[in-house]
Amino acid sequence: MEQPWAVALAFAGGWLLREWSTPQKVEEPASCHCQCSFPVSPAPEHMAALAPGSLMFVSYGEVPEVYHTRLILDWVSGLEYVIATPDLDIYPETMDASNPDFTDCVPALPGGLVPPGINPNSVYSFAPMTAAELSQLLAAGRTEAALERARRGVAAGAAPAPGAAAPVVNEVWVLAIFVRACQAGQVVLIKRMKEEDIPSFCEERVQALRSIEASAGEDKTVADDVRTLETAIMKEKRKMEEAKGGQKGKKSNPKATPKDGGGSGHERQLLVAFITARMVVHGRPNRVFHSPVPDHRTRDVVPLPQLVVEELRDRRVCRSVAKRIHHRAEIAKRTNRVIAALNSLFSGRRAGTDVPTVRALDDLPLNQRLAISDILKNVKKLGHPPLHLHGSEALKALRAASSTYGFQEAGVGDVVPLDLHYLSLPEERVVGVDLVDALPESLQSVVTDFEDHMLQHADVWTSFSSDLDSLRPYDDPSLKKRSVYLDFVREVYKRGIIRFSQNCRGRVGAFTVSKKPKVIDNVVTPRQRLVLDCRLVNAMFRPSPHTNLGSLTALSEMYIPDGQNLFISGADIKDCFYAVRVDDALSDFFGLMQDITGDEVYRATGGECGEMYSDDMFTPAVSVLPMGFSWSFYLVQCIHEHSVCRALDIGREQLVLEGFPAPLLSGGECVAMPYCDNAHVLSFCEDLCNAGSLAAQSDLTSLGFTTHEEEQANTFFKTLGGVVDGVAGEVRTTPER
């Protein structure tokens, strides 16, 4: 006769594993971040059907933990896919928990939602993108996957059909050995079998358990502890009989048969009661079976608590003690300013007074304790502030322009007093490029309806507009003098940079920074660049989409076949931003800091604006794309890309852009590398490269741009702070860098 405890354990193991591992029903992780529920890893055939456009969340074991979003672009082979990162990097990666670089790999819920068990605040995700941008990203992924499969010799079309249903097999995974308090990641013995084979398998496991003999301990065999188990079962059976109205203490007849025709129902109830009783060990719920409950533990690093600033309460202490207390207080204050800045960056709003304070770090969670300790260490390392440092010098350092390419001479980029004689502006009023007409059709509505697509939502603007009350755009001090300001207005109007508005909606400051000097008639002439302080206006607009520029990093990934040389030709767009004219409604956001009268407008324009009422006030408003506007760089890059694709009759996948795979170049075609106002055309054929460059320049000219500094096709080309050697197939930095 089989022992009841063995039947109970075998039945519990087979039943529980069947419930856990049925493919249509996967146990969800707990709601807490530690994921203490029993994990069921998806079978490889499920992971092999990732559809392009689906999302995965992967962790690399960082501390604190960060989940990185991965966009599936195309299949390569096996469990390897071409993916895109939030930084728009594209490369193949094994998207499975078997990847040794991963500590976790979780698919997104329908709709791209973050699955339970992952803190949304710890997810590094994609910036918002349009359907067109997503389509371009998927196309780039398909191209990269095709190249990768070709390199590996994998046949195209061998990918498993996304979303294809797995073959129906009437088999399940069952537990082959009893494991008390099974933990996530623990290795256990399981076996796959058909459902009808479970009873015979359980019988075999029971027989094996009966014959097992331990090498150590008090109980050498199972029989040594049978009486204890039988006593526990009989107690549970007696309680159930008493609950049904039986007399207390009456002995039960094991041979008696219930009136329902058999003892299977009674034995099943007894088995459930026995398993339920065993689910609690020493009064503590089993970690596998208990429901997740809030434990009030702090797992997020931010918001960080601030330190209590020690005060000198007893004025009678000696000078050395007072100095030491003051020193600690100053360190705590500077540390609190750093903590407040970090909390503000995390929350997106100014740090409030509701942040808790602590005297000691010992009671904090480990992640916060380490973070604050590191801040304290760096504050102490920073030491005392320099005595010569003051506000104006700090502001000057912040405004100093820095270039990511090219060699900067000493002083270039420094804020300098405005001098109209040295101001570098268009020599004459350019024809002008209509911003809307020059953009691709998909972006034209964004600019024409900028109040719906580019301006901040009203509730967002209201939430932080009060924080901007103290922000005043920086103006060159000389512009406070009325005569200098009017001369400046007259000069920028003559160059076609401003118009006059009576509906000003935003203000910008104007100042100048030094520019690389120019040699004119063997005389070194200083030059100044006009910069507009658009910080206040930028706060009124949403952040622009990510701008993908042409880069030497992307060019270095291009494949050059043996026996081929790469030719590059180029040109610059003259006064690129000044040439792009904006609509009057958008121009109203870029008013200069001072208004002028109708008479002053008449004198500044030489009467071009006609008679105006002398008492009316007008705002000089910038009518071109301001270089300090957060959307200007993105819009100019889009115009350039659209123009060169049209001129060369190529798609965007044939552009050399950062974050995208390098295009495939054949001997009879050209590709382009647009970088804002720098145009580059590349080809293996010198004549074809020159012809493509002329076509690109012609299209830019038809829009209203002017090109200059044209360079013929060459295999040795200096651009963007580097040197491209088309013969050696190398990209190098310039000696100056």
Side-chain angles (χ1 to χ4, degrees), residues 24 61 95 154 470 506 558 568 585 692:
Q24 291 79 8
M95 298 307 299
V154 179
S470 58
M558 179 177 287
I568 305 178

Side-chain angles (χ1 to χ4, degrees), residues 98-157:
S98 60
N99 190 332
D101 295 334
F102 295 163
T103 58
D104 199 6
C105 180
V106 185
L109 296 179
L113 299 179
V114 178
I118 297 180
N119 182 7
N121 293 327
S122 66
V123 175
Y124 183 37
S125 58
F126 284 82
M129 66 175 68
T130 63
E133 291 172 337
L134 177 59
S135 177
Q136 293 170 354
L137 201 57
L138 291 171
R142 288 193 294 271
T143 303
E144 178 65 16
L147 293 174
E148 190 66 23
R149 287 195 297 268
R151 285 191 288 265
R152 302 182 185 187
V154 179

Side-chain angles (χ1 to χ4, degrees), residues 633-644:
F633 211 78
Y634 171 77
L635 294 174
V636 167
Q637 178 70 10
C638 290
I639 292 174
H640 194 170
E641 290 181 12
H642 185 54
S643 172
V644 73

